[in-house]
Amino acid sequence: MAASFLERQGLTVLERNFRTRRGEIDLVMREGGVIVFVEVRLRTNPRYGGAAASITPRKQARLVAAAQVYLARLGREPPCRFDAVLLDALDPERIAWERHILER
């Protein structure tokens, strides 16, 4: 659902569930010349802060580490950013897309 949503926004899927020993990236996408590393979070119970709150500093560090591995495999370092697709239900009408999540 998240990939389809982002594709409708003009992004292109490069990889799904990119895994390394250092971490995992749910979606690697391209928007123009920018590589976008996307974390997808579903939290149906707001008691613990919802989907955005679940992207902890530890999770952010693992995203960066996995992205470094991905970029090393490319052999070049294009512009990139980290985004999140946040869901509080499996409802396509209730998707939130946050760009530049590491700059919060």
Side-chain angles (χ1 to χ4, degrees), residues 22-80:
R22 299 175 68 191
E24 177 186 354
I25 301 170
D26 295 323
L27 296 167
V28 180
M29 304 191 80
R30 184 179 65 240
E31 183 176 42
V34 177
I35 301 293
V36 183
F37 300 105
V38 181
E39 177 67 10
V40 179
R41 300 304 264 193
L42 169 66
R43 291 291 183 264
T44 56
N45 187 341
R47 182 180 318 159
Y48 301 106
S54 71
I55 305 174
T56 64
R58 181 173 182 215
K59 178 60 179 174
Q60 291 178 12
R62 292 179 59 81
L63 288 170
V64 169
Q68 289 170 336
V69 171
Y70 182 86
L71 293 171
R73 290 181 182 179
L74 288 181
R76 59 188 174 85
E77 194 165 324
C80 60

Side-chain angles (χ1 to χ4, degrees), residues 9 31 81-84 97-102 104:
Q9 309 308 312
E31 183 176 42
R81 72 172 193 256
F82 293 85
D83 291 1
W97 176 21
E98 288 192 22
R99 293 170 185 86
H100 305 282
I101 63 168
L102 297 186
R104 294 192 261 162

